[in-house]
Amino acid sequence: MNRSPPVRESQKGVEIIGTRNRHTIRPKGRARWLIHLFPLPALIVYTLFVLYPILSAFLYSLYDWQGIKRGVFVGLKNFVTLFTVEPFNEMFWNAFGHNVSYFVIEMIVQNGIAFGLAFFIYRKIRGSAFLKIAYFMPRLLSVIVIGFLWKLVLNPNYGALNTLLAEVGLQEWARPWLGDPDTALIAIILINCWFGIGFAMLIFLAGLQAIPEELIEAARLDGARGLRLLWKIILPLCMPAITIMTIFTFIQAFEAFELVYAMQGSMGEPFRSTDTLAVYFYRMAFSSAGGAGDLAVGLGSALAVVLFFIVASVSAVSLYLMRKREVQH
C-alpha cells in the first residue's frame, strides 16, 4: 500500500507536517519562546507579593533598627531577644499556646463535624443538595463581617445568645463571653469552626466521592458493615482529603488573625487571652502598643521568620508522614 510522503510547509513561523490522516503543528522560532512568556505576569505578581516580603523579612531580622532606619548588622540578636528577654518571650509562648489550642479544637470540632456531614451527604440522604449549599453559605461572607456579627450575638447586654439563655431559664449560663478570659478564646475558635465547616465538608465529600464504588461493594460482600466499614475501608481511602484538610487547618490556625482582630482588636484582650502569633506580630511591628520601641522592625521580622519556619516545617513533615499512610486505589 503506497503512502504519501510527508509534506512540509512553512507558514508564519509554524511548521506543518502532513500525512494522509493526521496533521502535527509545531511552533517554530519565536513562537516557541512566546509560549514561555505566558506565565510571566503571574510570576511577577508572585515575586512582588510573596517572595519579596518573605526575603525582606529574613533580611530585616538580621539588622538593628532605629525606627524605620536600618542600623548595623546584628545577626541572630533579634531572635535571641525574642526568646530570652521579657516580656517578648512570655508573650511569644502565650500566643504560641493559643495557636496550638486553635489547631486542636478546629481539628476535633470543625473537621470532625465536617466529615460527619460529608459522610451523610455521601450516603445520599434526602435534601443533601440543600445541605451542601446551606453549610457552605457562611464561607461566602467576609471574615470581618462574621466577626462583627458575632460580636453583636455575644454582647453581654443585648446579645441574642444571652437573651435566648434567659428566655429558656438558663440565666446563670449567661456571661460576657468575649470579656471573660476563660471563654473568649474558645468562643472565637468555635466561631471560626462554624465559619469553616462548609469548606472542610466539601473537601471531605470530594474525597469520599473519589472512592470507587466497587471497593465499597466488595467490602460489604466480605462482611464489613457500619463502623467497621468506615474505619477499615472508607477512612484509609479518604486519606488524601484528610491530609489536605489537616495541613490546611494547621496553616489557618497558625495564621489566625482576621477574626481575632475583628472581634478583640490587636491587644489580644482580655489580658492577652486571645493573643495569637499573627496578632502579636502585628502589634509588635505596626502598633505603638507592641512595647518593642525602636526594635519593632527587627523583632517583628524575627517573629515573622519564626512563624514562617513553624508553618513550613510542620506542614512539610505532616505531608510526608500522612502521604505514607495513603492507600492507592
Side-chain angles (χ1 to χ4, degrees):
M1 185 175 183
N2 295 328
R3 295 184 177 180
S4 300
V7 179
R8 297 178 179 269
E9 300 178 15
S10 180
Q11 184 178 7
K12 294 184 180 180
V14 176
E15 182 183 5
I16 304 176
I17 301 177
T19 63
R20 178 175 297 188
N21 299 317
R22 183 176 57 190
H23 292 278
T24 303
I25 301 178
R26 297 178 183 173
K28 188 178 180 181
R30 289 185 178 180
R32 290 184 179 179
W33 290 105
L34 287 174
I35 292 176
H36 297 288
L37 294 179
F38 289 129
L40 191 59
L43 182 61
I44 293 174
V45 173
Y46 181 79
T47 301
L48 288 176
F49 295 101
V50 179
L51 290 182
Y52 177 72
I54 292 175
L55 295 176
S56 297
F58 276 97
L59 180 64
Y60 294 165
S61 67
L62 302 177
Y63 284 86
D64 190 19
W65 291 81
Q66 289 81 41
I68 60 174
K69 181 181 179 182
R70 190 171 71 181
V72 298
F73 179 82
V74 295
L76 300 179
K77 179 183 176 182
N78 288 319
F79 294 92
V80 174
T81 301
L82 182 66
F83 286 108
T84 61
V85 177
E86 293 185 357
F88 306 117
N89 58 346
E90 181 183 346
M91 288 192 289
F92 174 85
W93 291 114
N94 175 62
F96 180 82
H98 294 159
N99 282 105
V100 172
S101 300
Y102 225 104
F103 171 67
V104 172
I105 295 175
E106 281 195 340
M107 281 296 298
I108 296 173
V109 177
Q110 173 187 291
N111 293 347
I113 295 175
F115 188 86
L117 293 172
F119 185 72
F120 282 119
I121 294 175
Y122 169 70
R123 297 292 297 271
K124 296 180 175 61
I125 63 172
R126 181 178 298 178
S128 59
F130 168 76
L131 291 178
K132 283 192 289 186
I133 298 173
Y135 289 122
F136 192 77
M137 284 295 289
R139 194 74 187 188
L140 302 179
L141 298 176
S142 166
V143 179
I144 303 299
V145 173
I146 293 292
F148 280 109
L149 287 176
W150 275 98
K151 280 188 71 173
L152 295 175
V153 173
L154 299 178
N155 187 282
N157 298 317
Y158 54 80
L161 180 57
N162 283 350
T163 301
L164 179 62
L165 292 174
E167 290 293 329
V168 298
L170 298 174
Q171 296 92 333
E172 65 276 7
W173 286 22
R175 63 182 63 199
W177 300 97
L178 298 177
D180 187 342
D182 295 330
T183 59
L185 181 64
I186 299 295
I188 293 175
I189 297 175
L190 292 179
I191 292 169
N192 198 84
C193 292
W194 170 81
F195 175 71
I197 280 177
F199 177 79
M201 180 195 68
L202 291 183
I203 297 295
F204 289 135
L205 183 60
L208 291 169
Q209 291 175 340
I211 300 175
E213 191 63 31
E214 307 84 54
L215 296 179
I216 304 295
E217 293 300 327
R220 288 186 177 132
L221 291 175
D222 287 339
R225 293 287 189 278
L227 291 178
R228 185 183 176 190
L229 177 66
L230 177 64
W231 185 256
K232 295 291 185 180
I233 305 298
I234 295 178
L235 280 178
L237 293 175
C238 199
M239 204 62 192
I242 296 174
T243 300
I244 291 172
M245 273 313 304
T246 300
I247 295 174
F248 180 83
T249 302
F250 178 82
I251 295 173
Q252 189 274 331
F254 271 78
E255 293 181 347
F257 174 78
E258 295 98 331
L259 188 61
V260 180
Y261 184 79
M263 300 188 73
Q264 299 294 82
S266 63
M267 298 302 295
E269 297 293 350
F271 308 114
R272 309 277 193 245
S273 62
T274 60
D275 223 0
T276 64
L277 289 176
V279 173
Y280 179 34
F281 161 74
Y282 174 84
R283 184 171 66 251
M284 180 185 294
F286 302 111
S287 172
S288 59
D294 288 341
L295 302 174
V297 175
L299 281 179
S301 299
L303 177 57
V305 171
V306 171
L307 183 57
F308 172 79
F309 273 112
I310 291 173
V311 172
S313 58
V314 174
S315 298
V317 172
S318 301
L319 180 62
Y320 172 76
L321 294 177
M322 299 186 75
R323 284 289 187 187
K324 292 176 66 175
R325 297 177 59 88
E326 292 181 6
V327 177
Q328 302 295 326
H329 56 81

